[in-house]
Amino acid sequence: DAKTTQPTSMDCAEGRAANLPCNHSTISGNEYVYWYRQIHSQGPQYIIHGLKNNETNEMASLIITEDRKSSTLILPHATLRDTAVYYCIVNFGNEKLTFGTGTRLTIIP
Amino acid sequence: EAGVAQSPRYKIIEKRQSVAFWCNPISGHATLYWYQQILGQGPKLLIQFQNNGVVDDSQLPKDRFSAERLKGVDSTLKIQPAKLEDSAVYLCASMLGREGGDTQYFGPGTRLTVL
């Protein structure tokens, strides 16, 4: 079973920041928080991952709370192409990925 | 850098027929995964290889599914005979090694329809 809880769906206006929350209250000390997204009819796309510190790359930012029990993925300027299902996954980084149901993000023009 | 390649992209077969899928991982990636994604669900692991050895095949229906990774590079997944419930997208992913914090990269998948 997935170790994370995410909202089923979210909407965001185009051009605004999309903030996707994830709860992972049972995360262990060596587990990372990974984010993937899946656009319709495509394979999952890696976005970002982190252990304790906040992370940023060209796609997104990942904010992890100090107690590591929750995190937020931030897409700074959402476009229509960001419409997808977003998966938050807790993992040691060397094992199978266990996908939950994810958050269906819809970007509204 | 080329991504994970899979073929075919689509396959339609009748039940009880056999089918094979092919995956070419990212160059140098030692770990390879096959996932099954049924419509409306997240992907679920079928089998994991480390080089040409099987690490985890606990969720592979071994009475009908088989997979191999010869020479530790390309991999094939076979279903024989197919059932209606095998209709799904079959995803291949690869990862550089088995270090903590490593990243899996997915191919585009093969969509299988069993009639």
Short mmCIF file of all heavy atoms in Angstrom, two decimals, chain A residues 32 34 36 38 40-46 49 87 91-101, chain B residues 9 33 35 37 41-43 45 48 56 91 95 98-108 111:
data_model
loop_
_atom_site.label_atom_id
_atom_site.label_comp_id
_atom_site.label_asym_id
_atom_site.label_seq_id
_atom_site.Cartn_x
_atom_site.Cartn_y
_atom_site.Cartn_z
N TYR A 32 13.14 8.79 0.96
CA TYR A 32 13.04 10.02 0.20
C TYR A 32 11.59 10.27 -0.19
O TYR A 32 10.78 9.34 -0.25
CB TYR A 32 13.87 9.92 -1.08
CG TYR A 32 15.36 9.87 -0.86
CD1 TYR A 32 15.97 8.70 -0.41
CD2 TYR A 32 16.16 10.97 -1.12
CE1 TYR A 32 17.34 8.64 -0.21
CE2 TYR A 32 17.53 10.93 -0.93
CZ TYR A 32 18.11 9.76 -0.47
OH TYR A 32 19.47 9.70 -0.28
N TYR A 34 9.54 11.33 -3.41
CA TYR A 34 9.64 11.46 -4.86
C TYR A 34 8.31 11.98 -5.41
O TYR A 34 7.24 11.65 -4.91
CB TYR A 34 9.89 10.09 -5.52
CG TYR A 34 11.29 9.56 -5.37
CD1 TYR A 34 11.70 8.92 -4.21
CD2 TYR A 34 12.20 9.68 -6.41
CE1 TYR A 34 13.00 8.43 -4.08
CE2 TYR A 34 13.50 9.19 -6.29
CZ TYR A 34 13.89 8.57 -5.13
OH TYR A 34 15.16 8.08 -4.99
N TYR A 36 6.35 12.16 -9.18
CA TYR A 36 6.23 11.84 -10.59
C TYR A 36 4.90 12.39 -11.08
O TYR A 36 3.98 12.60 -10.29
CB TYR A 36 6.23 10.32 -10.82
CG TYR A 36 7.59 9.66 -10.71
CD1 TYR A 36 8.15 9.38 -9.48
CD2 TYR A 36 8.29 9.29 -11.86
CE1 TYR A 36 9.39 8.77 -9.38
CE2 TYR A 36 9.54 8.67 -11.78
CZ TYR A 36 10.08 8.41 -10.54
OH TYR A 36 11.31 7.80 -10.45
N GLN A 38 2.02 11.89 -14.51
CA GLN A 38 1.66 11.08 -15.66
C GLN A 38 0.62 11.83 -16.48
O GLN A 38 -0.51 12.03 -16.02
CB GLN A 38 1.14 9.71 -15.24
CG GLN A 38 1.03 8.74 -16.39
CD GLN A 38 0.81 7.31 -15.93
OE1 GLN A 38 0.31 7.06 -14.84
NE2 GLN A 38 1.19 6.35 -16.77
N HIS A 40 -1.74 12.03 -19.74
CA HIS A 40 -2.57 11.00 -20.37
C HIS A 40 -1.82 10.26 -21.48
O HIS A 40 -1.22 10.87 -22.35
CB HIS A 40 -3.83 11.64 -20.94
CG HIS A 40 -4.78 10.65 -21.54
ND1 HIS A 40 -5.35 9.64 -20.81
CD2 HIS A 40 -5.22 10.50 -22.81
CE1 HIS A 40 -6.12 8.92 -21.60
NE2 HIS A 40 -6.06 9.41 -22.82
N SER A 41 -1.86 8.92 -21.37
CA SER A 41 -1.29 8.02 -22.39
C SER A 41 0.23 8.06 -22.45
O SER A 41 0.81 7.60 -23.44
CB SER A 41 -1.85 8.35 -23.78
OG SER A 41 -3.23 8.12 -23.80
N GLN A 42 0.87 8.60 -21.43
CA GLN A 42 2.33 8.60 -21.40
C GLN A 42 2.83 7.86 -20.16
O GLN A 42 2.07 7.63 -19.21
CB GLN A 42 2.88 10.02 -21.39
CG GLN A 42 2.53 10.82 -22.63
CD GLN A 42 3.14 12.20 -22.60
OE1 GLN A 42 4.11 12.46 -21.91
NE2 GLN A 42 2.56 13.12 -23.37
N GLY A 43 4.09 7.48 -20.15
CA GLY A 43 4.69 6.87 -18.96
C GLY A 43 4.91 7.91 -17.89
O GLY A 43 4.97 9.11 -18.17
N PRO A 44 5.01 7.51 -16.63
CA PRO A 44 5.29 8.47 -15.55
C PRO A 44 6.58 9.23 -15.81
O PRO A 44 7.57 8.65 -16.27
CB PRO A 44 5.41 7.58 -14.31
CG PRO A 44 4.60 6.37 -14.63
CD PRO A 44 4.80 6.16 -16.11
N GLN A 45 6.54 10.52 -15.50
CA GLN A 45 7.69 11.40 -15.70
C GLN A 45 8.23 11.82 -14.34
O GLN A 45 7.48 12.33 -13.50
CB GLN A 45 7.28 12.63 -16.51
CG GLN A 45 8.39 13.63 -16.74
CD GLN A 45 7.91 14.92 -17.37
OE1 GLN A 45 6.73 15.27 -17.29
NE2 GLN A 45 8.81 15.64 -18.02
N TYR A 46 9.51 11.62 -14.11
CA TYR A 46 10.14 12.06 -12.87
C TYR A 46 10.13 13.59 -12.80
O TYR A 46 10.41 14.27 -13.80
CB TYR A 46 11.57 11.54 -12.81
CG TYR A 46 12.43 12.20 -11.75
CD1 TYR A 46 12.28 11.86 -10.40
CD2 TYR A 46 13.36 13.16 -12.08
CE1 TYR A 46 13.06 12.47 -9.43
CE2 TYR A 46 14.14 13.77 -11.12
CZ TYR A 46 13.98 13.42 -9.80
OH TYR A 46 14.75 14.03 -8.83
N HIS A 49 12.92 14.94 -6.28
CA HIS A 49 12.87 14.19 -5.04
C HIS A 49 13.75 14.87 -4.01
O HIS A 49 14.65 15.65 -4.36
CB HIS A 49 13.24 12.72 -5.23
CG HIS A 49 14.70 12.45 -5.44
ND1 HIS A 49 15.33 12.70 -6.65
CD2 HIS A 49 15.66 11.95 -4.63
CE1 HIS A 49 16.60 12.33 -6.58
NE2 HIS A 49 16.83 11.89 -5.35
N TYR A 87 1.90 12.04 -8.64
CA TYR A 87 2.08 11.02 -7.62
C TYR A 87 3.19 11.43 -6.65
O TYR A 87 4.30 11.76 -7.08
CB TYR A 87 2.46 9.68 -8.24
CG TYR A 87 1.42 9.05 -9.12
CD1 TYR A 87 1.49 9.17 -10.51
CD2 TYR A 87 0.37 8.32 -8.58
CE1 TYR A 87 0.54 8.57 -11.33
CE2 TYR A 87 -0.58 7.72 -9.39
CZ TYR A 87 -0.49 7.86 -10.76
OH TYR A 87 -1.43 7.26 -11.57
N ASN A 91 10.07 6.51 -0.69
CA ASN A 91 10.87 5.38 -1.17
C ASN A 91 12.32 5.54 -0.74
O ASN A 91 12.81 6.66 -0.63
CB ASN A 91 10.77 5.37 -2.71
CG ASN A 91 11.32 4.11 -3.32
OD1 ASN A 91 12.52 3.97 -3.51
ND2 ASN A 91 10.45 3.18 -3.66
N PHE A 92 13.00 4.42 -0.52
CA PHE A 92 14.42 4.50 -0.19
C PHE A 92 15.27 4.87 -1.40
O PHE A 92 16.44 5.18 -1.27
CB PHE A 92 14.90 3.16 0.39
CG PHE A 92 14.38 2.89 1.77
CD1 PHE A 92 13.36 1.99 1.97
CD2 PHE A 92 14.92 3.54 2.87
CE1 PHE A 92 12.87 1.74 3.26
CE2 PHE A 92 14.44 3.30 4.15
CZ PHE A 92 13.40 2.39 4.34
N GLY A 93 14.69 4.77 -2.59
CA GLY A 93 15.40 5.18 -3.79
C GLY A 93 16.13 4.05 -4.47
O GLY A 93 16.82 4.26 -5.46
N ASN A 94 15.99 2.85 -3.99
CA ASN A 94 16.65 1.72 -4.63
C ASN A 94 15.72 0.52 -4.70
O ASN A 94 16.16 -0.62 -4.75
CB ASN A 94 17.92 1.34 -3.87
CG ASN A 94 17.63 1.04 -2.41
OD1 ASN A 94 16.49 1.06 -1.97
ND2 ASN A 94 18.67 0.74 -1.66
N GLU A 95 14.43 0.78 -4.73
CA GLU A 95 13.43 -0.29 -4.70
C GLU A 95 12.27 0.08 -5.61
O GLU A 95 12.24 1.16 -6.21
CB GLU A 95 12.93 -0.47 -3.28
CG GLU A 95 12.36 0.81 -2.69
CD GLU A 95 11.93 0.70 -1.24
OE1 GLU A 95 11.94 -0.42 -0.70
OE2 GLU A 95 11.56 1.72 -0.65
N LYS A 96 11.31 -0.82 -5.67
CA LYS A 96 10.14 -0.57 -6.52
C LYS A 96 9.39 0.66 -6.03
O LYS A 96 9.43 1.01 -4.85
CB LYS A 96 9.19 -1.77 -6.50
CG LYS A 96 8.52 -1.99 -5.16
CD LYS A 96 7.60 -3.18 -5.20
CE LYS A 96 6.91 -3.37 -3.85
NZ LYS A 96 6.04 -4.55 -3.82
N LEU A 97 8.72 1.34 -6.96
CA LEU A 97 7.88 2.47 -6.61
C LEU A 97 6.46 1.97 -6.35
O LEU A 97 5.92 1.20 -7.14
CB LEU A 97 7.87 3.50 -7.74
CG LEU A 97 9.21 4.16 -8.06
CD1 LEU A 97 9.08 5.06 -9.27
CD2 LEU A 97 9.72 4.95 -6.87
N THR A 98 5.88 2.40 -5.25
CA THR A 98 4.50 2.04 -4.93
C THR A 98 3.63 3.27 -5.17
O THR A 98 3.72 4.25 -4.41
CB THR A 98 4.38 1.55 -3.48
OG1 THR A 98 5.22 0.40 -3.29
CG2 THR A 98 2.93 1.18 -3.17
N PHE A 99 2.84 3.21 -6.22
CA PHE A 99 2.01 4.35 -6.61
C PHE A 99 0.66 4.27 -5.90
O PHE A 99 0.04 3.22 -5.84
CB PHE A 99 1.76 4.33 -8.12
CG PHE A 99 2.96 4.66 -8.96
CD1 PHE A 99 3.93 3.71 -9.22
CD2 PHE A 99 3.12 5.93 -9.49
CE1 PHE A 99 5.04 4.01 -9.99
CE2 PHE A 99 4.23 6.25 -10.27
CZ PHE A 99 5.18 5.27 -10.52
N GLY A 100 0.21 5.41 -5.38
CA GLY A 100 -1.15 5.52 -4.86
C GLY A 100 -2.07 5.99 -5.98
O GLY A 100 -1.80 5.73 -7.16
N THR A 101 -3.10 6.70 -5.62
CA THR A 101 -4.05 7.18 -6.63
C THR A 101 -3.67 8.56 -7.17
O THR A 101 -4.17 8.98 -8.20
CB THR A 101 -5.47 7.25 -6.06
OG1 THR A 101 -5.45 8.01 -4.85
CG2 THR A 101 -5.99 5.84 -5.77
N ARG B 9 4.26 0.07 -29.31
CA ARG B 9 3.52 1.03 -28.48
C ARG B 9 2.10 0.53 -28.22
O ARG B 9 1.53 0.81 -27.18
CB ARG B 9 3.46 2.39 -29.15
CG ARG B 9 4.79 3.11 -29.21
CD ARG B 9 5.32 3.46 -27.79
NE ARG B 9 4.30 4.05 -26.94
CZ ARG B 9 3.95 5.33 -26.96
NH1 ARG B 9 4.55 6.15 -27.80
NH2 ARG B 9 3.04 5.78 -26.14
N TYR B 33 12.95 -2.36 -14.42
CA TYR B 33 11.67 -2.73 -13.84
C TYR B 33 10.62 -2.87 -14.96
O TYR B 33 10.64 -2.13 -15.93
CB TYR B 33 11.16 -1.64 -12.89
CG TYR B 33 12.09 -1.22 -11.79
CD1 TYR B 33 13.12 -0.31 -12.02
CD2 TYR B 33 11.93 -1.70 -10.49
CE1 TYR B 33 13.96 0.10 -11.01
CE2 TYR B 33 12.77 -1.30 -9.46
CZ TYR B 33 13.78 -0.39 -9.73
OH TYR B 33 14.61 0.01 -8.71
N TYR B 35 6.45 -2.67 -14.97
CA TYR B 35 5.24 -2.37 -14.22
C TYR B 35 4.03 -2.64 -15.11
O TYR B 35 4.09 -2.49 -16.33
CB TYR B 35 5.20 -0.90 -13.80
CG TYR B 35 6.19 -0.48 -12.74
CD1 TYR B 35 7.51 -0.15 -13.07
CD2 TYR B 35 5.82 -0.37 -11.40
CE1 TYR B 35 8.42 0.25 -12.11
CE2 TYR B 35 6.71 0.05 -10.42
CZ TYR B 35 8.01 0.35 -10.79
OH TYR B 35 8.90 0.76 -9.83
N GLN B 37 0.06 -1.27 -15.56
CA GLN B 37 -0.86 -0.22 -15.15
C GLN B 37 -2.21 -0.48 -15.80
O GLN B 37 -2.40 -0.31 -17.00
CB GLN B 37 -0.36 1.18 -15.54
CG GLN B 37 -1.26 2.29 -15.02
CD GLN B 37 -0.67 3.66 -15.23
OE1 GLN B 37 0.16 3.87 -16.10
NE2 GLN B 37 -1.09 4.63 -14.41
N GLN B 41 -5.73 3.06 -12.49
CA GLN B 41 -4.90 2.72 -11.32
C GLN B 41 -3.46 3.20 -11.55
O GLN B 41 -3.06 3.50 -12.67
CB GLN B 41 -4.91 1.21 -11.08
CG GLN B 41 -6.29 0.62 -10.82
CD GLN B 41 -6.22 -0.88 -10.59
OE1 GLN B 41 -5.15 -1.45 -10.36
NE2 GLN B 41 -7.36 -1.53 -10.67
N GLY B 42 -2.69 3.22 -10.47
CA GLY B 42 -1.27 3.51 -10.59
C GLY B 42 -0.51 2.27 -11.03
O GLY B 42 -1.01 1.15 -10.92
N PRO B 43 0.69 2.45 -11.55
CA PRO B 43 1.49 1.30 -11.97
C PRO B 43 1.82 0.38 -10.79
O PRO B 43 2.03 0.84 -9.67
CB PRO B 43 2.77 1.94 -12.52
CG PRO B 43 2.38 3.34 -12.87
CD PRO B 43 1.35 3.73 -11.87
N LEU B 45 4.40 -3.00 -9.74
CA LEU B 45 5.59 -3.73 -10.15
C LEU B 45 5.27 -5.17 -10.50
O LEU B 45 4.56 -5.87 -9.77
CB LEU B 45 6.64 -3.72 -9.05
CG LEU B 45 7.94 -4.44 -9.41
CD1 LEU B 45 8.76 -3.60 -10.39
CD2 LEU B 45 8.76 -4.79 -8.17
N GLN B 48 11.63 -6.93 -11.13
CA GLN B 48 12.79 -6.05 -11.05
C GLN B 48 14.05 -6.85 -11.31
O GLN B 48 14.25 -7.92 -10.73
CB GLN B 48 12.87 -5.40 -9.67
CG GLN B 48 14.11 -4.53 -9.45
CD GLN B 48 14.21 -3.97 -8.04
OE1 GLN B 48 13.26 -4.04 -7.28
NE2 GLN B 48 15.36 -3.42 -7.69
N ASP B 56 13.25 -9.07 -7.69
CA ASP B 56 11.91 -9.19 -7.13
C ASP B 56 10.94 -9.58 -8.24
O ASP B 56 10.75 -8.83 -9.18
CB ASP B 56 11.48 -7.87 -6.47
CG ASP B 56 10.11 -7.95 -5.80
OD1 ASP B 56 9.44 -9.01 -5.87
OD2 ASP B 56 9.69 -6.94 -5.20
N LEU B 91 4.72 -0.89 -18.55
CA LEU B 91 5.74 0.15 -18.47
C LEU B 91 7.07 -0.45 -18.08
O LEU B 91 7.16 -1.28 -17.18
CB LEU B 91 5.34 1.19 -17.43
CG LEU B 91 4.08 2.00 -17.73
CD1 LEU B 91 3.51 2.58 -16.44
CD2 LEU B 91 4.39 3.11 -18.71
N MET B 95 17.02 2.35 -13.86
CA MET B 95 17.68 3.15 -12.85
C MET B 95 19.17 2.84 -12.90
O MET B 95 19.57 1.69 -13.15
CB MET B 95 17.11 2.82 -11.48
CG MET B 95 17.58 3.69 -10.35
SD MET B 95 16.63 3.39 -8.83
CE MET B 95 17.23 1.77 -8.39
N ARG B 98 21.70 0.83 -7.45
CA ARG B 98 20.85 0.53 -6.31
C ARG B 98 21.21 1.40 -5.11
O ARG B 98 21.07 1.00 -3.98
CB ARG B 98 20.93 -0.94 -5.94
CG ARG B 98 20.42 -1.86 -7.04
CD ARG B 98 20.13 -3.23 -6.48
NE ARG B 98 18.97 -3.24 -5.61
CZ ARG B 98 18.68 -4.22 -4.77
NH1 ARG B 98 19.50 -5.24 -4.64
NH2 ARG B 98 17.60 -4.17 -4.02
N GLU B 99 21.68 2.60 -5.40
CA GLU B 99 22.01 3.50 -4.31
C GLU B 99 20.76 4.16 -3.78
O GLU B 99 19.78 4.37 -4.50
CB GLU B 99 22.96 4.59 -4.83
CG GLU B 99 24.28 4.04 -5.36
CD GLU B 99 25.10 3.39 -4.27
OE1 GLU B 99 25.06 3.91 -3.13
OE2 GLU B 99 25.74 2.36 -4.52
N GLY B 100 20.76 4.53 -2.53
CA GLY B 100 19.65 5.28 -1.98
C GLY B 100 19.51 6.61 -2.68
O GLY B 100 20.50 7.24 -3.03
N GLY B 101 18.27 7.03 -2.90
CA GLY B 101 18.04 8.32 -3.54
C GLY B 101 18.20 8.30 -5.04
O GLY B 101 18.23 9.36 -5.67
N ASP B 102 18.30 7.12 -5.62
CA ASP B 102 18.43 7.03 -7.08
C ASP B 102 17.05 7.25 -7.72
O ASP B 102 16.04 7.25 -7.04
CB ASP B 102 18.97 5.65 -7.44
CG ASP B 102 19.77 5.67 -8.73
OD1 ASP B 102 19.57 6.59 -9.54
OD2 ASP B 102 20.58 4.74 -8.94
N THR B 103 17.02 7.41 -9.03
CA THR B 103 15.80 7.79 -9.73
C THR B 103 15.46 6.80 -10.82
O THR B 103 16.33 6.40 -11.59
CB THR B 103 15.95 9.19 -10.35
OG1 THR B 103 16.20 10.13 -9.31
CG2 THR B 103 14.69 9.60 -11.09
N GLN B 104 14.20 6.40 -10.89
CA GLN B 104 13.71 5.55 -11.97
C GLN B 104 13.17 6.43 -13.09
O GLN B 104 12.45 7.39 -12.84
CB GLN B 104 12.58 4.63 -11.48
CG GLN B 104 13.05 3.57 -10.51
CD GLN B 104 11.94 2.64 -10.10
OE1 GLN B 104 11.06 2.29 -10.89
NE2 GLN B 104 11.97 2.23 -8.84
N TYR B 105 13.50 6.05 -14.33
CA TYR B 105 12.99 6.74 -15.51
C TYR B 105 12.17 5.76 -16.32
O TYR B 105 12.60 4.63 -16.56
CB TYR B 105 14.15 7.30 -16.34
CG TYR B 105 14.95 8.35 -15.60
CD1 TYR B 105 16.10 8.00 -14.90
CD2 TYR B 105 14.54 9.68 -15.58
CE1 TYR B 105 16.83 8.95 -14.20
CE2 TYR B 105 15.27 10.64 -14.89
CZ TYR B 105 16.40 10.27 -14.20
OH TYR B 105 17.12 11.21 -13.50
N PHE B 106 11.00 6.22 -16.74
CA PHE B 106 10.05 5.35 -17.40
C PHE B 106 10.06 5.53 -18.92
O PHE B 106 10.29 6.63 -19.43
CB PHE B 106 8.63 5.63 -16.90
CG PHE B 106 8.36 5.09 -15.52
CD1 PHE B 106 8.78 5.78 -14.40
CD2 PHE B 106 7.70 3.88 -15.35
CE1 PHE B 106 8.54 5.28 -13.12
CE2 PHE B 106 7.46 3.38 -14.08
CZ PHE B 106 7.89 4.08 -12.98
N GLY B 107 9.74 4.44 -19.60
CA GLY B 107 9.49 4.50 -21.03
C GLY B 107 8.04 4.89 -21.30
O GLY B 107 7.26 5.09 -20.36
N PRO B 108 7.66 4.97 -22.59
CA PRO B 108 6.30 5.42 -22.93
C PRO B 108 5.24 4.35 -22.70
O PRO B 108 4.05 4.67 -22.66
CB PRO B 108 6.42 5.74 -24.43
CG PRO B 108 7.53 4.86 -24.89
CD PRO B 108 8.50 4.77 -23.76
N ARG B 111 0.63 -0.37 -24.74
CA ARG B 111 -0.79 -0.56 -24.40
C ARG B 111 -1.28 -1.86 -25.01
O ARG B 111 -1.32 -2.00 -26.24
CB ARG B 111 -1.63 0.60 -24.89
CG ARG B 111 -3.11 0.49 -24.51
CD ARG B 111 -3.89 1.70 -24.97
NE ARG B 111 -3.42 2.91 -24.29
CZ ARG B 111 -3.80 3.31 -23.08
NH1 ARG B 111 -4.67 2.60 -22.41
NH2 ARG B 111 -3.33 4.43 -22.57
#
